[in-house]
Amino acid sequence: MSTQQPTLPSLGFRGTLRFIWNQLTSMRTALMLLLLLAVAAVPGSLFPQRRAGADVVETWIEDNPTLGPIMDALGMFDVYSSPWFSAIYLLLMVSLVGCLWPRGRQHLKTLRQPPARTPRNLKRLPEYGQLVLETNGPTPDEALVDAEKILKKAGYRTQLRDGSVGAERGYTREIGNILFHFGLLGVIVFMGIGGLYKYEGQKIIVEGEGFTNNLVSYDSFTPGTAFSEDRLHPFSIALEDFDVVFDRESESHYGQALDYTAAMQVTPAPGAETYADEIKVNDPLTIDGVRIFLVGNGYAPNITVTDGNGDVAYSGPVIAQIQDPNVNSSLVVLKVPDARPEQLGFVGLFLPTSYTGDDGVAISIDPDAYNPELILNSYYGDIGLDSGVPQNVYVLDTDTMTELNSRDNDNGGITLGVGDTYELPDNMGTITFDSWDRYIGLDLHYDPSKWGVAIFASLALVALVISLYVRRRRAWVKAYAQDGHTVIEYGLLARGETFGLRDENIKLRQSFDNTWPVIPPDTSEDS
């Protein structure tokens, strides 16, 4: 005997689309997409990103010739603007909207509906109680009116009908759940807006110098996807003075920096009045929504270099890159491509308080500039700037250069105090240590979406607390006459977790006992 397999109806095109939509807008899918988005963001912290530094990415690819091109093709160096990351981001937004809209409509209908009808047998509910009132007590109808008032005072929404009172509370739990996801959606939307229009950059400013907020003034700049130069706020700032307070009392931390203060002159717009302000660590300066943070500082020796023809080939400050946390030594790299007949380069250290020991090695014994010195090596030849390939300003490539001065050759190294001049060998010119200034490193951030993210994140947090601590409860009260007494029956039902339901029963019973003349259950009059 053969069995015939049932023929299943086909979904069809519209049915398939409806099925896909239902799956996409389910809460399970939204949670999976949220987790997937978090996982997809991990490569952005593992691999250098091209928007933050294209030269770093190119160096990484060169150092990994096999893996680098593959990772580049997969978008690992442009994670947050890659098609696959954007697809997850957009799908999550669609999923959240698809979840919120029908749930919001359904909950709105629930709010308009009366509480559920009273069950026939209240004794089957998890929490049940019965009271018998004395003969001089209220009638069943009067008792139901009192019960409705008690339940309303306890936060229930009530309805009096057909010899009973139906009540329900905890609707804000679902509201909190919806608001939580709405807040999460708002955070995602505003983060996307921030990714489009925010920008951040870094700038080093030496004392006495200034900065104007335009692209060419930044040392490094990271724009948003939809950024345009017209969105830069036209302010300017100047570093008037930078003050560092050192510990001069503690023996264990003597010389440690205690406080940094950058005195700034701020011009908020062209033609506007200039005013004085300060930047301190964790106390940024804000101009038209642009937050300016103090993130670094150091010394900038002022150096003058003349070439072999006697012409000034360089004159100005040189940023000394800090080499240790206590700022006792800083790396100095100076490239002089305009020197003739040969280009010149210098590499060495700036020592704020130089001290030379018995071994002949100079070190700095204090981070403050009590005895500043420059200890340099010099080179001549092709610096490599004419090739057009970008170079790190803090690295001097000496492979194509000839050494002039160092401790390892007959000419020895260059040691300069403030005001000293050294004549380079082979009539290559001179170098003079004129003076020194301090510099600061600034981070400039502009994000028009930060307030939106903060508001919706706060909303999501408050809504989460509501959804966790508000409990759905239903209660019913019946009243009827029996043997000349009014009999009250009530029951409680939890929608969700039953934790605390017994306590609510006790509180409700206490309210009834305080309202009506209840016959104690241990008396003979109680039947």
Side-chain angles (χ1 to χ4, degrees):
M1 182 177 180
S2 62
T3 58
Q4 185 177 3
Q5 297 294 332
T7 303
L8 299 178
S10 59
L11 287 176
F13 179 72
R14 294 182 61 182
T16 302
L17 292 180
R18 186 179 295 108
F19 174 78
I20 294 174
W21 175 254
N22 291 336
Q23 295 299 313
L24 177 62
T25 56
S26 67
M27 187 55 62
R28 179 182 301 177
T29 303
L31 293 175
M32 290 180 60
L33 287 171
L34 184 62
L35 177 62
L36 185 60
L37 185 70
V39 173
V42 171
S45 60
L46 298 178
F47 298 97
Q49 298 300 294
R50 188 168 276 112
R51 287 174 54 195
D55 54 338
V56 179
V57 173
E58 297 303 323
T59 302
W60 198 96
I61 295 176
E62 291 176 2
D63 295 339
N64 301 271
T66 302
L67 187 61
I70 298 176
M71 294 293 102
D72 194 16
L74 293 175
M76 293 301 173
F77 305 115
D78 300 280
V79 169
Y80 306 111
S81 59
S82 62
W84 49 269
F85 188 87
S86 301
I88 298 173
Y89 195 92
L90 293 175
L91 284 175
L92 178 59
M93 289 182 57
V94 172
S95 180
L96 286 174
V97 172
C99 289
L100 290 173
W101 179 250
R103 288 182 63 181
R105 292 180 59 188
Q106 181 61 36
H107 190 60
L108 185 61
K109 292 180 180 179
T110 303
L111 291 175
R112 295 175 178 175
Q113 293 175 353
R117 300 193 66 83
T118 307
R120 180 176 302 176
N121 190 352
L122 294 180
K123 293 181 180 180
R124 295 181 179 179
L125 298 179
E127 292 293 332
Y128 168 79
Q130 186 184 62
L131 304 90
V132 179
L133 307 187
E134 296 179 355
T135 54
N136 61 347
T139 64
D141 291 338
E142 292 172 343
L144 289 178
V145 173
D146 293 339
E148 185 179 23
K149 293 179 181 179
I150 292 172
L151 290 171
K152 283 184 176 180
K153 188 176 181 180
Y156 285 87
R157 197 180 66 172
T158 63
Q159 185 183 42
L160 179 61
R161 59 200 172 190
D162 300 332
S164 67
V165 175
E168 188 169 356
R169 74 175 186 183
Y171 292 96
T172 52
R173 180 185 180 92
E174 181 64 17
I175 294 176
N177 199 357
I178 294 174
L179 287 179
F180 170 75
H181 293 90
F182 180 72
L184 185 62
L185 176 63
V187 169
I188 294 175
V189 170
F190 275 93
M191 287 182 64
I193 294 174
L196 290 174
Y197 298 108
K198 71 177 182 180
Y199 64 83
E200 61 182 73
Q202 291 74 41
K203 177 62 179 179
I204 291 177
I205 304 179
V206 180
E207 286 178 319
E209 295 185 354
F211 164 78
T212 301
N213 192 29
N214 54 57
L215 287 180
V216 296
S217 298
Y218 282 91
D219 296 328
S220 62
F221 189 80
T222 305
T225 306
F227 170 81
S228 64
E229 189 174 356
D230 298 336
R231 301 185 66 87
L232 288 174
H233 302 78
F235 65 84
S236 61
I237 57 177
L239 177 60
E240 186 177 20
D241 180 65
F242 183 68
D243 181 60
V244 183
V245 177
F246 296 97
D247 186 352
R248 298 304 181 188
E249 297 180 359
S250 171
E251 294 183 2
S252 59
H253 299 87
Y254 184 86
Q256 181 176 338
L258 300 178
D259 188 37
Y260 303 96
T261 303
M264 311 297 296
Q265 292 292 320
V266 181
T267 305
E273 183 177 355
T274 300
Y275 62 91
D277 210 328
E278 291 182 346
I279 307 177
K280 301 174 75 71
V281 177
N282 297 326
D283 186 12
L285 173 65
T286 303
I287 308 173
D288 288 338
V290 181
R291 293 170 64 82
I292 305 174
F293 296 86
L294 176 64
V295 295
N297 69 92
Y299 291 96
N302 293 293
I303 300 174
T304 299
V305 177
T306 61
D307 59 17
N309 297 332
D311 299 323
V312 176
Y314 178 87
S315 181
V318 179
I319 302 301
Q321 189 180 27
I322 296 173
Q323 297 298 295
D324 64 88
N326 293 326
V327 202
N328 280 327
S329 64
S330 303
L331 175 65
V332 175
V333 175
L334 174 58
K335 303 176 184 181
V336 191
D338 296 331
R340 297 292 181 269
E342 295 286 351
Q343 295 179 340
L344 299 174
F346 302 87
V347 177
L349 296 174
F350 174 83
L351 305 178
T353 303
S354 181
Y355 171 77
T356 303
D358 296 335
D359 57 359
V361 178
I363 60 172
S364 180
I365 59 175
D366 195 275
D368 207 351
Y370 290 122
N371 182 34
E373 277 190 349
L374 282 173
I375 310 296
L376 302 172
N377 295 341
S378 65
Y379 302 85
Y380 72 90
D382 183 14
I383 295 178
L385 295 177
D386 296 336
S387 63
V389 178
Q391 291 187 6
N392 189 335
V393 295
Y394 299 110
V395 176
L396 178 64
D397 186 4
T398 60
D399 292 340
T400 58
M401 305 187 74
T402 302
E403 186 179 78
L404 271 177
N405 292 94
S406 77
R407 296 182 60 186
D408 298 329
N409 65 24
D410 295 337
N411 295 324
I414 302 173
T415 301
L416 296 174
V418 177
D420 292 344
T421 298
Y422 178 83
E423 292 188 6
L424 299 175
D426 302 331
N427 295 321
M428 288 293 178
T430 64
I431 179 171
T432 302
F433 180 14
D434 299 311
S435 61
W436 59 269
D437 291 306
R438 284 191 173 274
Y439 71 84
I440 59 173
L442 300 178
D443 259 359
L444 293 89
H445 292 263
Y446 175 71
D447 187 354
S449 67
K450 59 183 179 181
W451 297 114
V453 172
I455 291 172
F456 279 96
S458 301
L459 175 64
L461 181 61
V462 173
L464 180 61
V465 173
I466 293 174
S467 63
L468 289 177
Y469 287 95
V470 174
R471 299 180 178 91
R472 292 292 300 272
R473 296 289 187 260
R474 283 179 175 175
W476 294 273
V477 179
K478 288 182 178 180
Y480 54 90
Q482 181 177 338
D483 299 332
H485 297 273
T486 297
V487 179
I488 306 295
E489 285 186 293
Y490 67 94
L492 293 170
L493 178 65
R495 295 195 62 187
E497 74 285 344
T498 60
F499 176 77
L501 189 62
R502 180 63 180 173
D503 295 334
E504 294 193 35
N505 184 0
I506 295 173
K507 290 175 63 177
L508 189 60
R509 178 59 181 260
Q510 290 175 346
S511 298
F512 290 159
D513 289 343
N514 294 332
T515 304
W516 300 315
V518 179
I519 299 176
D522 59 345
T523 64
S524 60
E525 189 178 359
D526 183 18
S527 58

